[in-house]
Every structure is written in structure tokens, then in C-alpha cells.
Amino acid sequence: MKRISAPRRSASLSAQLVDSLRSHIESGGWPVGTRIPPEQALIEELGVGRSTLREAIGALVHLGLLEPRAGDGTYVRSSSELQSVMVRRASSAQRDNVLELRTVLEEYASGAAALRRSESQLRQLRELLADADAACAGEDTSAATSVDALFHRAVVRASGNDLLIEVYDHLGTALTSSLGGLPWDAAHAEEHARLHRRLVDAIESREQGDARDAAAAIVQLTRDHEPRTPPAAEDR
């Protein structure tokens, strides 16, 4: 019978370094999107050998936390392994599947927010609506997309479900980016804003059903406004 391997008495130096760097990233010591210090600077700061550092960096690259860029150093790609895996999976999924998942999460979260939101959370949602209106009035698409992402995260946070909040935070980029890049005309932009106001009104009134309906309608608007791929020449 095959014996069970005994646990190691102590972790290797590179394994300890992986844990240390991972904790540093998760705590925001190196924010997502930033370039980590050069190799020599890390060797001097951490007091480790070059091979140990490279092994640890390689492990974090494999986990999806770091991303090497040829000629430009190594950047923080994600703040956690879970986020890296979930975003990568969502990014490779069919758009309809992403929208369906977004509907499930946001519809439930919106209903829960209507029951559990605090006055400060409600004020934040109102402020984000005002920011969104200002971005749209200035025709700043990038700012509007950014505010929209903050708005939906704020709704989920108002749900009071810690696990749902964590999952949504990890998937937020992939989910909310579904609105980015769409050629929103004035009519769709106004409908989009109206539905968001309706959602906040329902959350303020603690109308759980109305909040869920508004959240689902927001995602459906995105789905309906999906640009259609022209048929192939041979199909015409």
C-alpha cells in the first residue's frame, strides 16, 4: 500500500517568500496595475538570492497575481488567486453567459440591498447617480463606465452578504466591463439612467421586488443593445 507522504518540517525559503509577497499584494502593498520594484532592489530589500526571488516571482506569475512584460518589468495583475481565476474564466466565457451571471448576482443583491441598506449607503448611491449624470453630460465614456462599475459594487455592498460581496468584487471587472465600448446613443443612455434611478428609488423605498426587476432590466438593456454581427457573405 502506498504510504502517505509526511509533511515537510519547514517551508522552503522560496515558499516563505511566495507567502510573504502574496500577503503584500493582497494587502495593497503593491496595488493592481503597478510595476513591482526591479529584481536587484528586491534582492537587497528582502535579503534573498536571485534564484530564490525568481522562483517566488515565477510562482506568483503562475498563480496569476503577477504578469511579466518584456522590456518593461513585472506588473501586479490581480490582488488574489481567486480574483485571477474568476476574471480569467469570465473573460473567456460567451457574452450571454457573462450577462446571465451578472443578472443573477445583481438581481439578488439589489433585492437584499432594499431590505438591508443603511442611510449612508443610500446616500452613496445617490451621489454615484449624480456622478454618472455628470459624466454622461460631459460625454466622458471612460468616466461613465468607471462610475457605473462603482455604482453596481455599491449596490452589492448594500446587500450585506459578505460572501456575495467578495465574489462580486473578484468578478466585478469582467461583469461591469460588459457595458464598456458599446455605442450608446442618446435614447439608450437615457433609458440606462432611468433604470438606475428606478433601482435606487426601490432600494430607498425598501421595495425588494421592484429593486430586483430594475436590476434585471439594466442587464437586459445591455443585452438588447448588443451590436449584431453582420451575416457572412455566403449567407446573404
Side-chain angles (χ1 to χ4, degrees):
M1 181 181 294
K2 185 176 181 180
R3 295 176 59 85
I4 300 174
S5 299
R8 291 176 297 174
R9 297 299 179 185
S10 62
S12 66
L13 182 58
S14 63
Q16 293 179 52
L17 184 55
V18 168
D19 289 340
S20 177
L21 294 178
R22 179 167 49 195
S23 296
H24 189 66
I25 293 171
E26 290 177 347
S27 67
W30 290 339
V32 174
T34 61
R35 183 171 57 186
I36 70 173
E39 183 179 85
Q40 188 58 41
L42 287 174
I43 289 174
E44 294 174 1
E45 178 182 352
L46 299 170
V48 297
R50 192 176 305 276
S51 61
T52 298
L53 177 64
R54 288 183 174 177
E55 185 177 349
I57 295 296
L60 293 174
V61 169
H62 180 71
L63 291 173
L65 301 186
L66 296 178
E67 177 185 15
R69 299 180 186 176
D72 193 27
T74 300
Y75 285 75
V76 180
R77 179 180 182 183
S78 175
S79 61
S80 75
E81 297 162 59
L82 177 59
Q83 181 184 49
S84 175
V85 170
M86 295 178 76
V87 169
R88 185 166 60 246
R89 179 65 186 90
S91 298
S92 65
Q94 293 182 3
R95 181 180 172 83
D96 279 350
N97 290 343
V98 173
L99 291 174
E100 286 180 7
L101 177 58
R102 184 179 170 192
T103 301
V104 170
L105 295 179
E106 293 189 10
E107 184 178 343
Y108 179 84
S110 297
L115 298 179
R116 302 170 184 163
R117 57 82 180 165
S118 66
E119 290 301 319
S120 62
Q121 288 170 331
L122 182 61
R123 285 194 299 271
Q124 182 187 25
L125 291 175
R126 291 292 184 192
E127 290 169 0
L128 288 170
L129 281 184
D131 291 342
D133 288 342
C136 290
E139 298 184 351
D140 189 339
T141 303
S142 177
T145 301
S146 177
V147 173
D148 187 79
L150 291 174
F151 175 86
H152 288 286
R153 282 190 171 93
V155 171
V156 174
R157 289 184 180 279
S159 73
N161 184 318
D162 290 340
L163 184 57
L164 176 60
I165 293 168
E166 182 179 359
V167 170
Y168 192 87
D169 278 348
H170 290 325
L171 275 172
T173 300
L175 296 179
T176 57
S177 64
S178 60
L179 288 176
L182 287 178
W184 292 96
D185 54 32
H188 280 88
E190 175 54 35
E191 177 65 6
H192 184 252
R194 186 190 69 79
L195 288 172
H196 281 66
R197 291 192 295 269
R198 174 186 163 191
L199 173 56
V200 176
D201 287 345
I203 291 174
E204 180 176 20
S205 302
R206 300 193 185 278
E207 294 289 343
Q208 183 180 22
D210 287 348
R212 291 175 66 106
D213 289 345
I218 290 171
V219 182
Q220 186 60 47
L221 180 67
T222 303
R223 185 191 302 273
D224 292 343
H225 198 53
E226 166 74 3
R228 301 300 179 184
T229 304
E234 60 270 19
D235 295 335
R236 297 176 181 171

